[in-house]
Structures are given as structure tokens and as C-alpha cells.
Amino acid sequence: MSRFPPFAALGAVLLCAVALSIQARAETGAEAWLRYSALPPQLAKRYAQFPTSAVVLGDSLVLKTAQKELARGASQILGRPFSADNSSLSHSAVILGTLDQLHDLAPNLNPPRGMSNDGYWLKSATVHGFHCIIVAGTTDRGVLYGVFALLSKIARAESIASIDEIQQPYAPIRWVNQWDNLDGRIERGYGGPSLFFADGKVRDDLTRAGQYARLLASIGINGCTVNNVNADPRILDDNFIAQVSRIADAFRPWGVQLSLSVDLSSPKAIGGLDTFDPLDSKVADWWRKKVDEIYRQIPDFGGFVVKADSEGRLGPSTYGRTPADAANVIARALKPHGGVVFYRAFVYNHHLDWRNLKNDRAKAAYDNFHPLDGDFDDNVIIQIKNGPIDFQVREPASPLFAGLRHTNEAIELQITQEYTGQQRQLCFLVPMWKEVLDFDMHVDNPSARNQPTPVKDLVAGRTFHRPTGGFVGVADLGMDANWLGSPLAMANLYGFGRLAWNPNLSAETIIDEWTRLTFSADPVVLHTISKLQLSSWHVYESYTGPLGAGTLTNITGNHYDPAPESSEENGWGQWHRADHTSIGMDRTIATGTGFVGQYPPAIQQLYESLATCPDNLLLFFHHVPYTYVLHSGKTVIQHIYDSHYDGAERARDFISQWKTLQGHIDEERYRDILARFEYQAGEAVVWRDTICNWIYRLSGIPDEKHRVGSSAPSP
Ligand code: GCV
């Protein structure tokens, strides 16, 4: 007879079944980097002293989330129970609380002073005679961030035995934008329909919205704008605000503030006024009442994002007013509640005359906003795309970062890969973002002469001591199980959050963390995935747009297929000016559009001269003959041919690199990603042949290596 009573035997069977199903769970990518997979026993042993319960020093919603997350993560990773009890400190525990609460519990501890908002302290210490791990934040949200950081360390088997670590965010603004339409589609979204909206309403079931907020919080992101910057005015209807407040409820436990994109014409479009002139007192009144109503329903509302006078959107120019007039009228309504306005610098005329060689879309942001520096209220933030055009595979840093000294700024980076393969092709963007963030703009700063002025410091408000500023990522996650449409693309969301928290992290560190958490610490996995991710931007660039010509894609259509002719002879201004002798946009001061003149003098010098302009931006700044010889010693045309062949070859090699992982990772993701690499290899050949044949037909210059033109009509 069994030693176990029947129900206990059944329980044991069930437990085994649960254990097996956990082990064999389908890896859809839904858990992203929060898989909390069990450490192998020999590594779990390192945490033998890790407490088995948490003591929480407060009872706020966010602290409770922190406590639950810790219990969930610690029990899963260490494979033993972890209780989230609330009782007082009577045994070894993880202590969760704000610095003030910690002081009340243990006045003798010396917590760090002067930490910035949302910062945290992880400390191993003896408290009331018990061995404890302290997770103390300047805010409740800081405690939650500290819990995620602690779990990440354990999941990566990092020692925490004598931990004493302070972490604080580089900037207060760490937001994502979603370009979700109310009908449930997402503009430039490649991961399925909206998490928030369907059929013109907020979804009934917002479970995924809550899970999204958890992902965001785990990497320190504190705000999310849920609707498209091409905003539907109905979002501000009273009945819609009530619906949207349910999304804020889903975000709140994770400390993520909800914000909305708004249409500047709303006072007229939905407000019943006959004007939306920002200087009209009726309009100011309308915004004030609307904002008061929003805060009545969403007390922790973050603010508004505004796209105006751009790509057909109405704006202050309708009444001869400036972006500052428009931003300030809204900012003043938000100010008493602590809200902010993100006014996008992406303001340009998309009906530019392409025949005029002096016209240049790249100049628009600086031309529109630099003259207004100092006119914006201090709760306005100018949201500036990383480059002066539009998320191309390579662009220089926008000169506007250096053009605002008395105005808050945020950099806008695109996580969704609109122009970089739409998640169907691998393109890890952190190395690109780092080049921009680390780029020294050489701004003359009288209070700190000769100090570097990198973009990361300008946007964080550090250079000119601004009250706020930071980082915004256009994310566009959707209802697909793996969120972005591809498990590997989630490295871009992770990387954005990590850089927004600390832009000094290296791309190598970020991808190492992400790979360990998303896959495993198996050295083959770490080596292969890091190598693939870190090389992917250069590979993608080399077969879609080398030398800074921009992504030579179908710009009037899907922004995906190669279609170099679509850039020319229209008003969109993404011109490369290729003709039968030469290629590139002359943006010099001497002979071109003068765009170079928008940079500080040291940067002007760098880009103005062919002698110093880096090869990888040559065609962004200069118009040169195909026979022009690069710093590398190759001609432009031969470089273009070689780069496309090399890129396509390297894309094909992604397949064999990936194949080394068979048996090292789960079969689901192995097969899914293998199929993507096989597809990408084919696409790279399509790109290679389209661009090489096009440029060969235009120039008539043969490829020295006799690869190009065999099937193209002779010139
Ligand atoms: C939301 C590009 C995109 C548009 C986007 C726009 C913007 O032009 O193609 O889809 O609109 O940028 O950033 O406002």
C-alpha cells in the first residue's frame, strides 16, 4: 500500500505535472526578458542565504506590486517558496520601502543621500540582528525598479552576497509612445493590433496592457502615450476619457503614467468652438476645463504629445501663431496638475519643390524651433527625432539638440523598425542610438567651457540645467504573443529602456543582459546571439543604404521594399539626388542647402569638408561623382556594389550562425527565428540586386568584380 493517502498522491502527480509543464512551456516570447527561469541547482546554491520572505514598509499600490513581483521572481528563479508576508521584521528578509520608511525602521543605516527621483539602493545589511537585503527607493517606483534589478541580477546568477549598489536614472523622462489608432490598427506597428483599442473603443479586456506596463517598469520606463501622434480628436471626448482611465488603472500598479496624443484643433473639432487659435481666451479656457476633467478621472495623468503643422496635421500656423503659442496654452492648463507637453519638432513641409536644390527637409526642425528657444514654458518638452530626416538607417544627430539652451528637450528614438526591416529583418538599434547619444555636439557652454556636450547630456537637461528632459521611444507593441512581431526585436525595447536609464551602458553589456534573461547563459547562446545582434545594424545598412544615402526604400509606400526612385521628384524631401554622374545631397554651406550651418562650428567643420566628413555620412552631406575616392581608397560606386554584396553575404551567414544554436535553445524560438533569417537572406539579395542594378543603369560604370549588371539592360 502506498505511504501516501490518495489525495496526497494525486497532489504529487499534479505537482509533477505542473513542474513538467513549466519546464516544457511553449516559448512564445510573451515573457520577453521576464522569464524567471529556474537557475540550475549548482547556481541556485549561491543564493542559499537569500531570504525567503519580504517585509514591506508601506502599503501603496506600487509597493504591493514590488512585493508580489519579488515573490513571483524569487520563487521561480530559485525554485523554492518565497513568501510575500507583511509581518514585522522577525527573521531574515528582503526589506522593501522608501528611504524615509527605511530610516524609521533602521535609523542607524546610512542610506545614500541626494539620489534622484526613482533611484534605488540595493544593500546587504544586518538589520535588528537579521541578515537582510534592502531594496530602498527614493520613491515607491524606485523600490519597484530595485526589485526588478535585484531579480535580474539573480536570474543572471550575479553575486549579491555583499551588494551595496546605488542606481539612479539619467533623466526624469523615460517614456514610450504608441502610435495606436482608435480602430485598433497601429501606425508602423508590426506586432499585431492595439493592446488598448479595438473598433473605436478601449478594449474590454486590458490584461495585456497591464502586462505591457510590467515590461516597461522592469526597464525603468515611467510613461506611455497610448494613441497615435496623428491623433483622432475623439480621444478627448468626455466619454472617451472615462474609457482611457481604465488603461491608466492597468498601468498604475507598475508606476507607468498614461498620457495622450492630442489634435491641436480639438477645441473646434470636438469642443464646439469656432476656433482653435491658441491665443484666443475661449481656447485657453477649453483646454483648462478639459485638462481638469482628465485629472478628475486620472489623477496621475502624465500629459500630452502634440504633432502639429506636419504631414497634413492642423497647427498654430492656421492662425499665424508659433509652436510656442500652441504648446504654452496647453502647458498652462496642465501645469497646476504637474503635467507636461511634448511638442514634436517633426514639423516640416511635405510639399517641398524638389527642383530647387536649396530646399532641404533636414533643415526644418532647427528652422522652426531654434528661433523660439526660451519662449516655451518650463513644462514643455521639445521631442526631437534622433536625426534630421526620419529614422533612416543612418543619419547624423539632429542639430536642434544643440540649438535649444533655454528649452527642455527629449530625444525620440524609434523602437519599431519602420525603416529598418519592420521586425522581419534583424536590426538591433542600440549601437545606432549610442552613436547619436554619445555624439559630442561641441556646444559652446560658457559655464563649462571645454567640457563635452554629448546629445545624451543635452536631452537629459544636464548641460543647460533644465528642469526636465530625457528619452522617448516609439514602441508600437501589439497583441502578438511576442509583442513586436519577432522575439529578437524585443532587444530594441529592452535596450531603449536600459539606455534611457543609463546611456553610458555599452551595447555589449545590454545585449549580454538581454540574451541571458531572454534565452540563457549557455556560452554558445551568449556568443552567437550577441554577435548576431551587434552586427545586425551594419549588415542591414550595408545592403539598404550605405554611405549615408538614407534607406533607399519605397518612401511613398510601405517603407520596406527597395525602391530608390520613389525618393525623387516628389515633395517628401527624402532625396538622394542620384543622376547619371553623381549622387548625394549637397548640404554644405558653401555650395549646398546650408544645413551644415545649423551645427556648432566644430561640427560644421567636420561635415562641411570632404576631407573630414566620415565616409558613412558622405552622401548625406555631399553630392559627389560616382568615381569620387573615399577615405577607404575605394570609389563611391565600387563601395556601393561591394557593400551590397558583402551585406547580402553576411545576412546569409546569419543562418549558419543561428543553426549553431540548435539544441541550445527551445525548439519553438529556434525554428521561428531560423525561418526569419532564411527570409532575410532572400530579402537582402532582392535589395542588393535592385540597388546595384539601378545604380549601374544610372551610372553605366561596371562593377570591378563583374557581379553587377549581368541581368540588367546595358546602359
Ligand atoms: C505617425 C513618419 C512615419 C509616419 C509617422 C511620422 C511621425 O513619417 O512614416 O507614419 O506618423 O513619421 O513621426 O509623425
Side-chain angles (χ1 to χ4, degrees):
M1 199 182 130
S2 157
R3 290 192 296 121
F4 300 107
F7 61 87
L10 178 65
V13 170
L14 280 177
L15 264 180
C16 285
V18 170
L20 275 177
S21 74
I22 288 174
Q23 209 177 28
R25 66 190 167 178
E27 291 280 7
T28 58
E31 292 164 297
W33 52 86
L34 298 178
R35 287 166 68 247
Y36 297 150
S37 51
L39 284 179
Q42 71 278 17
L43 288 180
K45 259 197 246 153
R46 287 192 193 164
Y47 301 92
Q49 302 305 315
F50 189 73
T52 51
S53 67
V55 168
V56 190
L57 305 180
D59 61 358
S60 75
L61 189 59
V62 172
L63 282 182
K64 284 188 184 137
T65 310
Q67 183 186 19
K68 275 193 248 154
E69 188 68 28
L70 180 63
R72 173 178 178 175
S75 56
Q76 273 184 233
I77 303 170
L78 297 176
R80 58 178 150 87
F82 185 95
S83 90
D85 71 39
N86 260 321
S87 58
S88 56
L89 188 61
S90 55
H91 44 71
S92 164
V94 180
I95 299 174
L96 305 179
T98 61
L99 290 171
D100 289 346
Q101 290 161 342
L102 182 67
H103 180 77
D104 293 345
L105 177 81
N108 295 340
L109 282 175
N110 267 331
R113 289 163 193 275
M115 269 201 292
S116 57
N117 237 13
D118 293 346
Y120 57 84
W121 183 41
L122 303 179
K123 168 83 178 156
S124 153
T126 302
V127 182
H128 297 187
F130 303 109
H131 162 69
C132 291
I133 302 280
I134 292 165
V135 181
T138 51
T139 56
D140 292 346
R141 194 156 58 189
V143 179
L144 177 62
Y145 295 161
V147 161
F148 276 117
L150 185 67
L151 290 172
S152 167
K153 284 176 190 296
I154 301 175
R156 288 179 290 115
E158 231 179 62
S159 170
I160 52 164
S162 45
I163 193 165
D164 185 358
E165 184 175 319
I166 299 166
Q167 286 285 340
Q168 41 195 347
Y170 210 73
I173 298 296
R174 305 177 304 279
W175 285 34
V176 288
N177 287 177
Q178 286 277 142
W179 288 351
D180 297 28
N181 295 318
L182 308 190
D183 64 6
R185 287 176 301 166
I186 305 182
E187 184 155 346
R188 313 303 172 191
Y190 312 104
S194 172
L195 299 161
F196 312 120
F197 308 107
D199 306 323
K201 298 196 305 271
V202 170
R203 281 179 183 279
D204 292 334
D205 181 356
L206 290 170
T207 311
R208 292 290 303 280
Q211 292 168 350
Y212 182 26
R214 174 171 171 254
L215 281 178
L216 296 178
S218 74
I219 45 176
I221 293 174
N222 54 4
C224 174
T225 310
V226 292
N227 63 313
N228 193 349
V229 289
N230 291 324
D232 186 327
R234 284 180 303 152
I235 195 81
L236 290 181
D237 273 341
D238 287 345
N239 114 340
F240 225 103
I241 294 170
Q243 295 184 43
V244 160
S245 73
R246 292 182 33 249
I247 310 177
D249 295 343
F251 285 178
R252 192 164 297 117
W254 303 99
V256 174
Q257 281 186 288
L258 177 130
S259 60
L260 295 174
S261 296
V262 290
D263 183 313
L264 258 191
S265 74
S266 301
K268 187 171 173 190
I270 57 153
L273 302 187
D274 57 1
T275 178
F276 61 93
D277 179 351
L279 296 191
D280 188 308
S281 61
K282 293 192 296 293
V283 169
D285 213 42
W286 187 88
W287 282 111
R288 203 168 25 249
K289 288 193 179 126
K290 185 55 73 181
V291 166
D292 289 348
E293 177 56 24
I294 294 176
Y295 277 92
R296 215 179 49 72
Q297 300 198 41
I298 310 174
D300 53 354
F301 182 69
F304 294 134
V305 178
V306 177
K307 172 177 178 179
D309 286 323
S310 173
E311 299 187 332
R313 311 293 307 171
L314 289 169
S317 69
T318 308
Y319 301 97
R321 311 298 187 201
T322 68
D325 297 328
N328 291 345
V329 69
I330 308 178
R332 284 167 200 167
L334 288 160
K335 176 87 178 176
H337 304 281
V340 294
V341 175
F342 292 82
Y343 202 99
R344 296 178 84 229
F346 189 64
V347 174
Y348 73 101
N349 169 9
H350 67 283
H351 298 291
L352 277 182
D353 181 0
W354 57 273
R355 294 168 204 84
N356 183 342
L357 298 183
K358 294 290 177 193
N359 280 345
D360 188 357
R361 167 173 164 184
K363 288 166 71 178
Y366 189 94
D367 281 350
N368 283 309
F369 287 84
H370 171 68
L372 300 175
D373 188 23
D375 292 352
F376 292 93
D377 283 8
D378 65 6
N379 61 331
V380 176
I381 298 165
I382 304 302
Q383 183 167 316
I384 308 168
K385 289 194 183 189
N386 58 281
I389 298 286
D390 192 3
F391 302 135
Q392 300 298 285
V393 72
R394 184 179 293 272
E395 293 185 47
S398 169
L400 186 57
F401 293 123
L404 300 174
R405 289 161 185 255
H406 311 285
T407 307
N408 307 316
E409 311 180 0
I411 187 169
E412 181 179 307
L413 300 168
Q414 201 183 37
I415 296 161
T416 187
Q417 297 167 229
E418 174 182 357
Y419 283 100
T420 49
Q422 303 189 352
Q423 280 95 289
R424 285 181 267 171
Q425 303 190 41
L426 185 67
C427 194
F428 178 53
L429 295 163
V430 165
M432 176 214 265
W433 297 337
K434 275 202 68 74
E435 282 197 15
V436 177
L437 292 169
D438 291 345
F439 187 75
D440 186 353
M441 294 293 262
H442 290 275
V443 183
D444 179 33
N445 181 6
S447 64
R449 284 243 151 79
N450 302 323
Q451 291 297 310
T453 55
V455 170
K456 60 190 169 199
D457 287 1
L458 289 161
V459 299
R462 294 176 169 220
T463 311
F464 295 117
H465 311 292
R466 300 298 313 160
T468 189
F471 306 83
V472 178
V474 179
D476 282 0
L477 273 69
M479 288 295 283
D480 280 4
N482 63 30
W483 303 97
L484 273 173
S486 149
L488 292 188
M490 286 294 275
N492 284 325
L493 178 63
Y494 183 84
F496 169 77
R498 297 294 285 131
L499 285 180
W501 185 271
N502 178 7
N504 294 324
L505 289 172
S506 70
E508 289 75 13
T509 301
I510 290 173
I511 205 62
D512 181 82
E513 284 177 8
W514 178 82
T515 308
R516 285 172 194 270
L517 298 170
T518 306
F519 289 93
S520 80
D522 173 339
V524 179
V525 173
L526 280 179
H527 170 78
T528 307
I529 296 186
S530 300
K531 190 168 159 216
L532 282 163
Q533 292 272 23
L534 290 171
S535 61
S536 59
W537 169 45
H538 287 298
V539 170
Y540 190 79
E541 176 185 28
S542 59
Y543 64 79
T544 62
L547 300 178
T551 321
L552 299 176
T553 187
N554 182 348
I555 71 134
T556 52
N558 61 7
H559 295 190
Y560 182 74
D561 295 318
E565 276 147 0
S566 72
S567 295
E568 292 299 316
E569 303 187 12
N570 60 44
W572 289 97
Q574 286 185 218
W575 307 315
H576 46 65
R577 301 279 194 220
D579 59 27
H580 64 286
T581 60
S582 39
I583 182 169
M585 274 291 290
D586 183 354
R587 294 189 156 107
T588 61
I589 304 166
T591 55
T593 68
F595 166 75
V596 172
Q598 295 184 338
Y599 287 97
I603 308 298
Q604 288 182 18
Q605 267 178 28
L606 173 74
Y607 292 141
E608 178 78 3
S609 158
L610 278 166
T612 50
C613 183
D615 283 349
N616 59 20
L617 281 170
L618 179 74
L619 304 181
F620 191 92
F621 286 108
H622 296 272
H623 186 78
V624 294
Y626 293 114
T627 50
Y628 177 80
V629 178
L630 300 168
H631 299 302
S632 70
K634 272 187 195 177
T635 60
V636 164
I637 189 98
Q638 194 56 42
H639 179 94
I640 291 175
Y641 293 145
D642 288 353
S643 169
H644 282 83
Y645 274 84
D646 177 56
E649 185 58 35
R650 292 174 69 197
R652 191 158 64 91
D653 188 51
F654 285 175
I655 302 173
S656 37
Q657 291 181 51
W658 187 255
K659 282 186 172 165
T660 63
L661 296 183
Q662 187 160 30
H664 289 265
I665 64 167
D666 56 283
E667 200 58 18
E668 289 95 353
R669 287 182 296 175
Y670 173 76
R671 285 190 183 286
D672 175 27
I673 294 166
L674 177 61
R676 289 168 196 279
F677 281 133
E678 282 165 347
Y679 165 82
Q680 179 168 357
E683 286 297 289
V685 170
V686 171
W687 267 94
R688 179 195 75 190
D689 291 349
T690 310
I691 302 298
C692 289
N693 289 337
W694 163 72
I695 211 150
Y696 171 57
R697 276 199 306 274
L698 262 179
S699 67
I701 302 175
D703 167 27
E704 281 168 6
K705 298 182 187 156
H706 312 292
R707 297 158 299 190
V708 181
S710 44
S711 58
S714 25

